[in-house]
Amino acid sequence: MKHLSLTILTILLFSSFLLAASGDVSLVNSHTNTQLTWYGSYSQNTPFPDDSKEYQQIIMDFTLGCSTGGCSHWDYTVSIEIGRPTGVMDSTIASYDTISTSPLVLDTNWNAPFEIIDWYELGRMITPYGNYMDFGWAGNSYGYDETWKETWYYDVSHFEPFLHGDVPVRVFFSGWPQAGRGFSADVDFRFIEGVPSKRITNIQKVYGGGTYNNSSQFEADVLPAKSFTVNASKAEMRFIVSGHGQDGEFTPITYSTYGNNTLIRTEDIWRDDCSENPLSPQGGTWIFNRANWCPGDDVEEHWFDMTPYIQGNNLDINVDFQSYSPTAASYIISAYLFEYEEINRLYDVSVDRILTPSIDNEEHTISTAGSTSVYDRYTATLCANPEIRILNKGNATLTYCQIEYGVIGGSSFYYEWTGNLKYGESEVLSLPLINWAGLDVNNPIFFAEANYPNNLVDQFPYNNRKETSFDLPKVFADGNLTFRLRTNNQAQETSYTIKNDEGAVIFSGSNFPNVTNNDEALNLSYGCYLLEVIDTDNYFMDNTGGDGLSWWLNTQNGLESSGYFEIRQTGGGRLVYFNPDFGHKISYQFLVGDSLQNQGNPPVPSAEPAHAAIEEIVVNGETYYHMADSGLYFSETKVASSLDDLLSIKNTRFEDGSIAVYPNPNKGQMTISINSKKQGEVKMQIYNSLASLVATKLVPLNTPFSYNLEGVSKGVYFIKFEDEGVIYLKKIEIL
């Protein structure tokens, strides 16, 4: 809110508004160091908050590490699920004796009865091949040790109706690791207070998974057409699917979703970017693309808007998989229908993610031993263009917003985005270069804040801003450097580029001879540079991805030899060595000449773009913002097109008890009394129904006075004055 230029500053109420619940975070711990060492459910009752508050967002943090016996060397599916009681009781047999065989009579002893729990999947991920994490315990140089952990973040806001009271949360681990090895799991929830963009009213299960023998069997057993009764006006479906078994894992197919027999969209059941996994290197075949999953990453979600296909209270849903004939295939599916009434806000833009620079990018946080052989391929360091992702959380199509960004302690920079984003759509932005002066080198933090959606008030400023720590790039005092690429025996797969901070390629290389040292004398001037090395292989079934310069499967089977690449001091020794097991691509930013905050000739901070002045009005305890040239009034959930329209909003009224007008209606001649605990004079303003100012006058407090509103047309007007930070308005009608 710091950018709102208030023409009427209601200090007391504005301060209390900023200290309100919106944005406050409640932390809930569910699992701590749960040892996933064998196939099965690991359940823990979790004390969630009651439903007395609303939450704008609920984030589940799932952290994976090695078990106390070390990491498993295989990739396994992990689902995090929440239980719902069904009211149905069941039991299991403890023992039985055969009393008679003809007729059969059994004396059966039963265990204590228990209630059947219905489980809903909050999120899914695939464990990494943990070889290198495990080997790191023995002091081997793979970039990992026993402290290795990674955290995945899941937005589980849609499950809010289920996340109250004492609720079981389980981690379902579908693995059979080597004895003593496995993974550890932590599950935590962050409840962020505030009015959500939509309130979920009901959740229904749509589909689960199963074995795929052939298309007709799978459609009949797993994906039959279904009809649902929908009591809300809107609905959307979340569909998670991952393929398993030899064919299900490595066969790229599609599925099509229909609403009332109308095709909504066709999606791929395939990930073609596994060799760009930020959690690398791994053991195993981590670089192979798979059926919507990669080892050491979460399984992506697909969302479908079902609202256009609701007919009355009925919604027909059908999902068809592409037909094929596998030898061994199964698909893990969880599909849920979420019902809701309305999107609560028209204008709400959010910074959804800071991509670079970031060591905590709200999708993954990776912690390793800090070996020089491991680099975050998504650039935890930065000296060039920052990248962020914005998200439209308002029901109105987003066509404009302002981005403020920079580093804490430095100057703010501004970027004006234009485009076209519907509700729920996002876009990645590459922001112009910034001046890093003022950066706190002991705690470098980058921030980005989106505001002014469509040049209007953002109704919910609490999701506008994100901040993230980042690593400072390495500085080479002397630009007399050499890039060395040692090719393997498939040198045609490897290429590289070096770009300056304006994105221009200043060095590049490809088509090298096999098994040779290829040195490039760089002689770089003062500035920031990006090195990218890319390996692409044509043996991938979908012609994507790469296997780096040295990968165990190739070297063990004589398919490829080993290469490497490094940065050297020209005429001297090695400065930086990169792990050659990098899959498809690795990026590295570095500086020449001086540290980040002391770069010469930095960009000059731009002035904040001009926006209409904003005033704040309190209506029955609810804060509204008004942009002077728009005529619109905004609260967190309401938009009114005029003062008169604002009065008509249900359950709202103006704080007009201190203004008396008689007669009302009148023909322009009236007596007004403005009452206050103070004495003296106050500025009285009169607006028309379009929020245009028509008169201003200093008038006495606590003393009736005559007033003639001359030269105005018939209609509705508003008398306004401010007293101790509160704005008071009185509606009058001129006949």
Side-chain angles (χ1 to χ4, degrees), residues 639-658:
V639 177
S641 60
S642 67
L643 288 171
D644 197 34
D645 183 33
L646 186 57
L647 279 178
S648 68
I649 295 177
K650 186 179 180 181
N651 296 327
T652 66
R653 65 175 179 82
F654 283 107
E655 304 278 0
D656 61 355
S658 294

Side-chain angles (χ1 to χ4, degrees), residues 355-359 376-383 530 587-589:
L355 287 86
T356 60
S358 177
I359 58 174
D376 181 358
R377 67 183 68 244
Y378 292 108
T379 316
T381 65
L382 182 70
C383 55
L530 169 65
S587 301
Y588 180 70
Q589 291 198 31

